[in-house]
Amino acid sequence: MSEITIVPMTADNFDEAKNMMERSFATTMEDLPKNGDADDHAQELPSIDGILEKPEETPLLFYRDGKMVGGAVLIINGDNNNILTLLFIDSKLLDKGIGYNAWLEIEKRYPHTKTWTTETPPCLMRNIHFYVDKCGFHIIRVKDPKNEEAMFVFQKTMM
């Protein structure tokens, strides 16, 4: 597999990234359970609108062979306990190792990180497998366990 290159998201590549992220998350939403009127999860899709104006967030894109293949949004904290708020891969390129290789590049890019934290819904087994079995995260708690919008919170200790 070709190497993954990480570049900052900019105004020039934002629209392409937004479209790719929306397609990626729409594919993921197909895995969510259907509850009556909740058949349409479109309103639940994450958004990166305004991300370029948020100095606390670091939006990055992944390229392979000169083509955008995904992206991530990070929060890099002064105490090196960092947060992965969003990770997406082109929905046409899932299960090809791109997400894992992109994650390894993120880890290399931020070598002083003590911990990485992220979260995902319990019903998204593909995400859980990716974070736990591939990337080495551990589930540390369930956020809002009695709510139907509960989230697994994952953490990976680096140091």
Side-chain angles (χ1 to χ4, degrees), residues 5-137:
T5 303
I6 297 178
V7 301
M9 187 183 296
T10 65
D12 292 334
N13 56 28
F14 176 83
D15 288 337
E16 182 182 0
K18 179 179 176 177
N19 290 333
M20 181 179 292
M21 188 220 62
E22 288 174 351
R23 285 191 314 272
S24 176
F25 275 90
T27 299
T28 299
M29 290 297 166
E30 293 172 6
D31 294 338
L32 289 174
K34 308 276 191 256
N35 308 349
D37 293 337
D39 287 332
D40 181 10
H41 293 285
Q43 70 278 6
E44 298 174 19
L45 291 175
S47 174
I48 57 171
D49 289 335
I51 195 77
L52 299 176
E53 289 79 42
K54 294 180 178 177
E56 69 278 8
E57 300 202 45
T58 303
L60 303 171
L61 295 172
F62 313 138
Y63 283 79
R64 185 180 75 180
D65 297 328
K67 182 177 186 248
M68 185 185 302
V69 295
V73 178
L74 311 175
I75 297 176
I76 306 302
N77 292 308
D79 65 0
N80 292 314
N81 291 298
N82 299 326
I83 302 167
L84 169 66
T85 61
L86 185 70
L87 178 78
F88 63 93
I89 301 300
D90 185 335
S91 58
K92 295 176 250 172
L93 300 173
L94 294 174
D95 297 324
K96 298 188 183 317
I98 293 170
Y100 176 68
N101 285 305
W103 179 252
L104 293 177
E105 290 302 315
I106 288 172
E107 287 183 354
K108 285 184 210 171
R109 188 178 188 110
Y110 298 96
H112 300 295
T113 298
K114 294 177 185 172
T115 62
W116 284 105
T117 304
T118 195
E119 52 188 57
T120 199
C123 59
L124 295 180
M125 293 308 293
R126 177 192 296 261
N127 290 8
I128 295 165
H129 167 69
F130 174 75
Y131 290 121
V132 173
D133 298 332
K134 295 282 186 179
C135 297
F137 282 77

